[in-house]
Amino acid sequence: MSAGLFGLLDDVAALARLAAASVDDIGAAAGRATAKAAGVVIDDTAVTPQYVSGITADRELPMIRRIAIGSLRNKLLFILPAALLLSQFAPWLLPVILMVGATYLCFEGAEKVVARIFPGKHGHDAHAAPAAVAGEDAEKTMTAGAIRTDFILSAEIMVIALDEVADQAFWSRLVILIVVAIVITAAVYGVVAVIVKMDDVGLHLAQRSSAFAQKFGRGLVTGMPKVLAALSAIGTVAMLWVGGHILLLQSDKLGWHWPYGTVHHWEEGVHHAVEGAGGVLAWLLNTGVSAVIGLVVGAVVVAIVHVLPFGKKAKH
């Protein structure tokens, strides 16, 4: 009797260890998948504050909450089922879809670069916030626009994450992608909420009697536009880097080995040539080359869309 009880306890302990290992594996895979989508996440974080500009302070957080709920709905109810069905029944399409999405990322990044170099000449920000609408429908209109834009970014995030865990079993993929969707949505819109309220915090501190609080508050008010500008620039570089890297990696999977093989050979050379910092320098090399590839590919697409005659016609 006691032997059977101890045997049962051993089985329960073994199952508990197996469950703990599975949770650890899922957590690690979710972390890798989230890191892979970092470029799009940064862009999403940089874009969303534009949609609450001009909204009264008491409506900013409710509006961000509705956008966040819409973003999670996009990921879990629309994008996730489609992505899982695709990975289960037509996994050969994933590299092609990833390359299409990467090309779109490169286009967005290059378009922002062109708009910065030639303001007013070419391009528009693909994520530009809609113009403010007068009347009671303004908030609803801007929220709907933000959720539509989020759908594009969320699709890119989920497909990139799916590619990272494509070798997992179906149910593991499902759990990992649900975790990624929730974590990324909470992180993005949590940061957005903090960003949009920083100027209000600064104004509040600037009215305090303490000289330090006043100085710090004024610093927040004057510094937040610079933070947003820096975040936008980082998002642009991240889009070019992520897009270029996806093109490199997926072209190798589709059989065009020369580009990825060449960059990998350069990485190996740098890694072994410099002791200590070789790994960091190799990563920087890969990142820089990927960003250049992204910029070149994106510039070609920008030229097609905005410069060539049939591109202009299609735009109109």
Side-chain angles (χ1 to χ4, degrees):
M1 178 72 175
S2 60
L5 178 60
F6 283 122
L8 177 61
L9 291 175
D10 285 340
D11 291 342
V12 171
L15 288 173
R17 286 194 297 270
L18 181 61
S22 298
V23 170
D24 288 342
D25 291 342
I26 288 173
R32 291 195 304 271
T34 302
K36 281 286 186 179
V40 190
V41 170
I42 293 171
D43 186 46
D44 203 358
T45 307
V47 165
T48 307
Q50 301 173 26
Y51 284 91
V52 295
S53 61
I55 299 296
T56 57
D58 62 313
R59 299 306 305 157
E60 288 175 341
L61 291 182
M63 187 172 174
I64 290 171
R65 183 172 62 249
R66 285 205 298 274
I67 297 172
I69 292 171
S71 173
L72 197 59
R73 186 170 60 243
N74 284 341
K75 293 181 180 74
L76 295 182
L77 298 185
F78 302 110
I79 299 167
L80 179 57
L84 284 174
L85 287 173
L86 186 65
S87 67
Q88 191 69 18
F89 298 107
W92 52 272
L93 269 177
L94 279 178
V96 177
I97 293 174
L98 277 166
M99 291 186 76
V100 171
T103 302
Y104 181 72
L105 278 177
C106 296
F107 163 70
E108 286 188 325
E111 192 173 44
K112 290 181 179 181
V113 172
V114 171
R116 185 176 293 270
I117 296 173
F118 305 105
K121 286 280 186 178
H122 304 298
H124 62 284
D125 191 341
H127 297 328
V133 181
E136 60 183 16
D137 292 334
E139 189 175 320
K140 182 178 178 181
T141 300
M142 296 180 74
T143 301
I147 293 173
R148 282 195 301 270
T149 295
D150 175 87
F151 188 90
I152 298 171
L153 295 170
S154 292
E156 293 168 350
I157 288 169
M158 297 302 287
V159 172
I160 291 170
L162 175 62
D163 182 64
E164 180 64 20
V165 297
D167 57 339
Q168 301 281 336
F170 177 83
W171 293 110
S172 294
R173 286 202 305 273
L174 175 61
V175 173
I176 290 168
L177 292 176
I178 289 174
V179 170
V180 168
I182 294 172
V183 168
I184 284 181
T185 303
V188 167
Y189 291 99
V191 171
V192 168
V194 171
I195 288 173
V196 300
K197 298 308 290 184
M198 276 295 99
D199 54 350
D200 293 337
V201 172
L203 287 172
H204 177 73
L205 290 175
Q207 295 170 0
R208 301 288 293 272
S209 58
S210 168
F212 174 78
Q214 291 178 3
K215 184 177 179 181
F216 185 70
R218 288 193 294 269
L220 282 178
V221 173
T222 58
M224 285 315 297
K226 297 177 182 177
V227 170
L228 289 173
L231 195 59
S232 178
I234 293 170
T236 299
V237 174
M239 281 191 292
L240 294 172
W241 155 47
V242 172
H245 185 72
I246 292 173
L247 290 175
L248 266 180
L249 189 60
Q250 299 306 319
S251 62
D252 183 68
K253 289 184 179 180
L254 290 175
W256 191 28
H257 303 298
W258 176 80
Y260 181 79
T262 301
V263 175
H264 184 68
H265 177 71
W266 292 347
E267 277 188 275
E268 290 293 317
V270 170
H271 184 77
H272 295 299
V274 182
E275 292 187 13
V280 175
L281 293 176
W283 180 84
L284 289 174
L285 174 66
N286 184 293
T287 300
V289 173
S290 298
V292 170
I293 291 172
L295 181 59
V296 171
V297 172
V300 171
V301 180
V302 169
I304 292 173
V305 172
H306 294 293
V307 176
L308 297 182
F310 62 86
K312 288 183 177 180
K313 290 178 182 178
K315 183 177 69 171
H316 291 316

